[in-house]
Amino acid sequence: MSDPTQTELEAAAFRRLLAHLDERKDVQNIDMMNLAGFCRNCLSRWYAEEAAARGLEMDKETAREIVYGMPYAEWKAKYQTEASADQAAKFEASKPDH
């Protein structure tokens, strides 16, 4: 497989991941962190870091808007729920120093 084809496939898979996450707004970031070790915020941070590695300026909010499909504050107000005590405890226990 050629490098351009691989890049196209990876980009298409990433777009599908973003679309899937957009369809699953019920899945909270803390659940993703507890189960998979990453969340939407991680994806947006990675996106901004990759832009920076290529000499492109991208702030955190711009990267989050790409991943969330809207400004982060708007997504948070509409879809984010308060973490339960169990979710918070699992998250704390998963940190490297535990």
Side-chain angles (χ1 to χ4, degrees):
M1 175 181 324
S2 69
D3 286 346
T5 299
Q6 182 174 347
T7 299
E8 288 176 25
L9 294 174
E10 291 167 349
F14 181 73
R15 287 189 295 272
R16 286 182 71 174
L17 172 61
L18 293 182
H20 179 76
L21 292 173
D22 188 52
E23 292 171 10
R24 293 299 313 266
K25 291 178 180 81
D26 61 307
V27 177
Q28 296 295 300
N29 282 334
I30 195 163
D31 293 324
M32 292 175 65
M33 287 297 296
N34 287 342
L35 292 172
F38 79 100
C39 69
R40 294 170 182 90
N41 289 331
C42 296
L43 287 174
S44 63
R45 186 182 75 246
W46 298 338
Y47 196 96
E49 288 171 355
E50 291 302 324
R54 288 157 179 78
L56 303 171
E57 288 189 34
M58 180 176 295
D59 64 24
K60 179 168 65 172
E61 291 309 312
T62 300
R64 281 182 169 179
E65 191 164 339
I66 290 166
V67 170
Y68 283 90
M70 65 183 70
Y72 177 61
E74 182 181 336
W75 191 94
K76 195 172 169 182
K78 285 183 176 181
Y79 304 109
Q80 186 167 310
T81 60
E82 190 69 32
S84 70
D86 183 52
Q87 288 170 316
K90 284 180 183 175
F91 179 72
E92 286 302 316
S94 72
K95 290 184 177 178
D97 61 333
H98 286 96

